[in-house]
Amino acid sequence: MLNSAERRELSYQRWEAAADELSMLRTALRNAPNDELRQRHRAVMEQFKQLTDDLYAPCLASASASRGRS
């Protein structure tokens, strides 16, 4: 079982990998646009958004909780 720091690190590594793939896909789409690349870009973008939400949700939740206590 992973502790929270290990889970966070793994999430960040996945987020970085998705960001790198998005960058490569954008370049590929600029050079030779096609439907297969567009579909892959959409799928990776959705994955990236979910990973971003998962990665930053704890930060946003604690920030909003502390604002609620003020």
Side-chain angles (χ1 to χ4, degrees):
M1 189 113 206
L2 298 174
N3 66 35
S4 79
E6 291 168 329
R7 281 194 307 272
R8 227 180 356 263
E9 178 62 27
L10 186 58
S11 293
Y12 183 71
Q13 289 171 1
R14 288 179 182 148
W15 182 86
E16 278 187 318
D20 290 344
E21 188 172 359
L22 277 174
S23 178
M24 288 185 288
L25 285 166
R26 285 184 181 129
T27 300
L29 279 167
R30 273 194 301 269
N31 294 334
N34 65 53
D35 289 340
E36 184 179 339
L37 285 174
R38 282 187 194 94
Q39 289 173 350
R40 181 68 187 143
H41 182 268
R42 275 192 293 274
V44 174
M45 183 55 108
E46 287 303 313
Q47 177 188 23
F48 182 76
K49 287 178 185 176
Q50 185 61 52
L51 289 167
T52 301
D53 290 347
D54 293 348
L55 192 61
Y56 291 103
C59 299
L60 297 174
S62 66
S64 85
S66 64
R67 278 195 307 263
R69 284 187 232 132
S70 301

